[in-house]
Amino acid sequence: MLNVIDTVVQGILLGGLYALFATGLSLAFGIMRFVNIAHGDFIVLGAFAALALIGVVPMHPLLTLAIVVPALAILGYWAQRLIYNRTLGRDIMPPLLVTFGLSVMLQNGLLELFSGDSRRLDAGMLSSASIGIGELSVGVFPVLTLVIAVAVIAGLQFLFSHTAIGRSLRATSDDPEIVQLMAVDSRRIYAVAMGIASATVALAGVILGMTKAFDPLLGPPQLLFAFEAVIIGGLGSLWGTLAGGMLLGVAQAVGFRLDPGWGILFGHLAFFAVLLVRPQGLFPKTRDH
């Protein structure tokens, strides 16, 4: 029984990391119906940005968030204004092709700058610290990751529900053409949304770098995990994304418990099972146009 409880707890904690991966993807799709194929590569870019910063000014990886998060938020804002906005429309292929190209460019650019060697951000004692809960022992950093994921999603929900920019984001998501008639620049709102999504991506990247080794080609698997968490939770639902990440994490933890080679497979099987039974996800919030 203790093993079952331990597996579920470890899976839920792993789900916090996947929820962080997926939050930016869910936000971009919920507001703009925009699927960013380069999402995983931008997560890895966040990890490498922290690595480069530490190489210049030695500091704890968590302190790099003060620079990496706003830097990627600005990058995401201008990428939306200068590139992504030109591809948005009824045809879904242009944004997919553009972000696929960005994905290839980012991977090759990181390979040129950092080589293909695996790296890891040294979190110090935080990486090995643990706390006892009864007979269970859980890592402090996974718990911190889950707390950060919940805080980020709660903060975004507050932003959407209680601020003027949040109301603009929701209105633009519901009907961008009507919003345009009310003198709101929907393309600027889209850029703000991508800036916020990119900030969460940067946070996910630094946490990823502190959790495990990373290299320039690690982006596509992170995109897959993020996509599965979003689909399981329901498109456009932030709390659903958290639930989807946890379900994915528990499924992988069960697989890893049975056999070290089955973890990822069990996650994919859980994804397909949800897709078959409830294609719209567990907590969908988007509205079809």
Side-chain angles (χ1 to χ4, degrees):
M1 188 61 187
L2 183 62
N3 284 339
V4 173
I5 296 174
D6 181 60
T7 300
V8 173
V9 170
Q10 299 303 329
I12 290 173
L13 295 178
L14 179 60
L17 178 63
Y18 290 153
L20 271 180
F21 289 170
T23 298
L25 195 66
S26 177
L27 198 155
F29 185 86
I31 295 176
M32 298 176 279
R33 313 299 187 264
F34 177 68
V35 178
N36 186 356
I37 299 297
H39 181 81
D41 301 292
F42 277 105
I43 292 175
V44 175
L45 177 64
F48 273 107
L51 180 72
L53 194 58
I54 292 171
V56 176
V57 183
M59 65 178 82
H60 193 278
L62 287 178
L63 296 179
T64 65
L65 290 172
I67 297 175
V68 174
V69 169
L72 256 67
I74 294 171
L75 178 64
Y77 178 91
W78 284 108
Q80 184 69 42
R81 295 216 71 161
L82 300 177
I83 303 174
Y84 301 152
N85 275 342
R86 300 174 186 273
T87 69
L88 293 179
R90 295 188 181 278
D91 189 353
I92 63 170
M93 287 305 294
L96 291 179
L97 292 174
V98 166
T99 54
F100 176 74
L102 276 177
S103 170
V104 174
M105 290 170 58
L106 276 173
Q107 290 178 32
N108 283 278
L110 290 173
L111 278 171
E112 287 294 326
L113 289 173
F114 297 98
S115 80
D117 295 340
S118 294
R119 317 294 177 90
R120 184 165 184 167
L121 302 178
D122 184 8
M125 294 179 62
L126 191 58
S127 60
S128 58
S130 62
I131 53 177
I133 304 175
E135 297 184 32
L136 296 177
S137 178
V138 297
V140 170
F141 188 65
V143 172
L144 178 63
T145 300
L146 179 59
V147 170
I148 291 173
V150 173
V152 166
I153 291 174
L156 289 174
Q157 287 289 5
F158 180 86
L159 176 77
F160 291 137
S161 303
H162 297 90
T163 66
I165 187 65
R167 287 189 287 273
S168 297
L169 287 166
R170 285 190 288 122
T172 306
S173 170
D174 288 340
D175 198 327
E177 294 177 357
I178 294 297
V179 166
Q180 285 278 96
L181 296 176
M182 301 176 70
V184 175
D185 185 353
S186 62
R187 293 184 176 274
R188 187 183 70 82
I189 296 297
Y190 285 163
V192 171
M194 184 53 72
I196 296 171
S198 298
T200 67
V201 166
L203 178 60
V206 175
I207 297 294
L208 169 70
M210 296 170 67
T211 302
K212 63 181 182 181
F214 59 93
D215 61 62
L217 303 181
L218 196 64
Q222 312 319 307
L223 170 65
L224 182 59
F225 295 147
F227 190 71
E228 288 181 342
V230 170
I231 296 297
I232 291 173
L235 292 171
S237 169
L238 290 174
W239 289 115
T241 297
L242 179 64
M246 287 182 173
L247 183 60
L248 182 64
V250 170
Q252 289 190 2
V254 171
F256 283 127
R257 175 70 68 176
L258 295 176
D259 186 287
W262 289 0
I264 304 301
L265 173 62
F266 268 54
H268 296 331
L269 291 176
F271 166 67
F272 280 117
V274 172
L275 206 58
L276 287 174
V277 175
R278 195 172 168 81
Q280 71 273 35
L282 300 178
F283 310 101
K285 288 190 70 175
T286 56
R287 173 178 66 81
D288 293 333
H289 288 295

